Amino acid sequence: MKEFGSDFHTIGNFYNTGRADITRIFSNATFLADGRQCLILVIRQEGWKRLWVPEYFCYEVLDSIVKYTGIQLFFYKDYPGMGSYEFLKQLPFEKGDALLKMNYFGLSECHKESISVPIIEDHSHDLLNRSALYSDADWCIASLRKTLPLAEGGMIWSPKGAKISEDIKPLLVNEELATKRWNAMDLKADYLSSLKADGGDIKLKDIFRKLYIDTEETLPDLDVSALDNRSADTLCKLDINAWYNQKKKNWKRLTTLLDKGLNYLEPINEFCTPFSVVLKLDEVVKREKLRIGLIQKAVYPAVLWRVPETCSEEVRIMSDSLLSLHCDGRYSEEDMEELACIINNVYNGI
């Protein structure tokens, strides 16, 4: 038996080489405890009063930003595969505004428009995308812990050479939180090993799941902190090129084996590395049946993201139809063959 998805376990294999670590690729970046802290930090520094954000986004992150900065949010229509963004030039910008852009699921590249306010790009889903490596935005941010095997992590950098003026200190409370998450990752690694030997230690699973849940609930309440020591050390050793290359191989293998009736979002070119295999179902009921059926088979997909009813119809339809399946570097192409069998069987049974 094997489990797929959910939070990372501790990775201890060929990725720990230091051959292509992200701290050298983005040598001017500042590394924080998580991605939302990056937005909070730059909003405080720049003194923006209003932030334009995509309708299709993680609203828990937006709630934290408002809580810690008091900034006013304005929304514009955006979602995977949106198309033209010429309308951005017509938005009623004012002095003190900034615009946040999102590269969804690593399937595209951030669109470039000449507008009158500072631009922040979110490259969480594909850090090695050309638009991340060669961005001309005022600021770029990324959450790291959802795409890399770290207990926590976020990064912020300025392609235009702007500097973070504040000297960010590591908070003791953050080190304690990160230690709990690393413990959870270590325990999950032990649990996954036990699955192969004797079917898994359920008590062990209950322990690490509680640690994950407790820290997820605590992390949004943290003030801005530097990255914890163990995550910083792991980040310097992680071969991100090897990690991304494996993820791309896995994505290709899994999508090749999926049932022909299953639709999924595809990258616009070969330079994109998809964040995950993002299935697109016809309706929310079918999506939920598939999600629940997969969980019953120890496959743990993610819904990214649930949005409010106030969003535009296109964004709500997108939110109701997508299901994200992990295919990152913790898995092999052989694992993807097993995963494809599970997905196809569950899909054909709903």
Side-chain angles (χ1 to χ4, degrees):
M1 181 182 177
K2 193 174 186 69
E3 291 191 0
F4 294 91
S6 194
D7 295 287
F8 286 110
H9 62 280
T10 306
I11 305 292
N13 55 17
F14 68 91
Y15 298 115
N16 298 322
T17 66
R19 284 195 296 263
D21 76 87
I22 202 167
T23 63
R24 285 191 289 175
I25 296 172
F26 295 95
S27 58
N28 65 332
T30 297
F31 293 88
L32 304 178
D34 74 354
R36 76 189 74 196
Q37 290 186 11
C38 298
L39 268 175
I40 291 168
L41 178 63
V42 73
I43 290 170
R44 287 175 177 173
Q45 173 173 308
E46 301 299 319
W48 297 320
K49 304 301 181 186
R50 311 194 314 174
L51 182 65
W52 292 83
V53 297
E55 283 188 331
Y56 191 70
F57 202 75
C58 178
Y59 281 75
E60 292 177 358
V61 169
L62 297 180
D63 289 343
S64 290
I65 293 166
V66 172
K67 176 181 178 181
Y68 285 100
T69 68
I71 198 166
Q72 189 175 8
L73 300 181
F74 287 80
F75 294 89
Y76 66 92
K77 185 165 64 176
D78 194 10
Y79 54 87
M82 170 75 175
S84 174
Y85 289 90
E86 283 296 311
F87 71 91
L88 290 178
K89 298 177 182 178
Q90 308 303 319
L91 293 178
F93 295 124
E94 297 180 2
K95 185 177 181 180
D97 285 7
L99 176 77
L100 176 65
K101 295 181 178 180
M102 179 75 196
N103 179 8
Y104 295 110
F105 305 121
L107 299 171
S108 185
E109 296 177 345
C110 274
H111 42 92
K112 295 177 184 267
E113 289 80 27
S114 178
I115 58 176
S116 59
V117 299
I119 294 173
I120 313 104
E121 293 176 349
D122 188 332
H123 292 286
S124 296
H125 290 167
D126 187 3
L127 275 166
L128 300 187
N129 190 287
R130 290 187 303 187
S131 62
L133 296 171
Y134 306 109
S135 173
D136 61 358
D138 295 88
W139 293 94
C140 294
I141 63 168
S143 175
L144 301 177
R145 66 191 180 94
K146 297 297 177 69
T147 62
L148 301 176
L150 304 171
E152 62 174 30
M155 59 185 287
I156 179 169
W157 72 99
S158 171
K160 293 186 176 180
K163 303 295 183 183
I164 294 296
S165 58
E166 185 179 343
D167 183 18
I168 309 301
K169 302 293 185 182
L171 300 180
L172 177 59
V173 65
N174 181 61
E175 284 289 339
E176 293 172 346
L177 183 148
T179 298
K180 286 184 179 180
R181 288 192 65 83
W182 277 113
N183 287 341
M185 292 174 66
D186 293 341
L187 289 171
K188 183 173 182 179
D190 293 341
Y191 166 73
L192 293 176
S193 295
S194 74
L195 279 178
K196 302 175 183 177
D198 55 16
D201 185 340
I202 299 301
K203 291 183 179 179
L204 194 61
K205 184 172 185 177
D206 290 339
I207 294 171
F208 74 70
R209 286 191 70 248
K210 186 178 187 306
L211 287 172
Y212 280 129
I213 292 169
D214 289 348
T215 53
E216 283 292 336
E217 292 175 348
T218 305
L219 195 55
D221 294 327
L222 278 178
D223 202 348
V224 175
S225 172
L227 188 63
D228 76 280
N229 290 329
R230 185 172 170 183
S231 293
D233 181 63
T234 302
L235 199 58
C236 291
K237 295 176 181 176
L238 180 69
D239 187 339
I240 193 170
N241 279 340
W243 181 265
Y244 268 49
N245 288 340
Q246 186 62 50
K247 180 161 60 170
K248 189 174 286 189
K249 290 178 183 177
N250 291 345
W251 186 93
K252 290 180 179 177
R253 186 62 180 150
L254 181 53
T255 54
T256 299
L257 296 171
L258 288 176
D259 188 280
K260 298 303 181 184
L262 276 167
N263 296 318
Y264 54 88
L265 303 186
E266 299 188 59
I268 62 168
N269 59 46
E270 62 181 5
F271 301 106
C272 300
T273 301
F275 165 71
S276 61
V277 172
V278 183
L279 302 180
K280 191 173 189 301
L281 284 300
D282 296 335
E283 55 186 15
V284 67
V285 173
K286 186 178 291 186
R287 194 270 306 274
E288 286 303 290
K289 285 182 178 179
L290 179 59
R291 185 182 69 85
I292 293 169
L294 289 174
I295 291 173
Q296 292 171 346
K297 298 294 184 181
V299 176
Y300 302 98
V303 174
L304 303 173
W305 298 276
R306 291 183 170 89
V307 303
E309 288 298 317
T310 52
C311 289
S312 58
E313 183 180 6
E314 296 97 323
V315 170
R316 285 186 282 109
I317 290 173
M318 188 66 66
S319 173
D320 287 344
S321 64
L322 300 187
L323 193 64
S324 173
L325 292 158
H326 301 81
C327 63
D328 49 69
R330 64 187 128 162
Y331 306 113
S332 66
E333 290 179 85
E334 289 74 22
D335 291 331
M336 295 298 99
E337 294 172 8
E338 181 179 345
L339 179 56
C341 288
I342 297 171
I343 296 169
N344 291 339
N345 287 337
V346 174
Y347 174 71
N348 288 315
I350 62 176

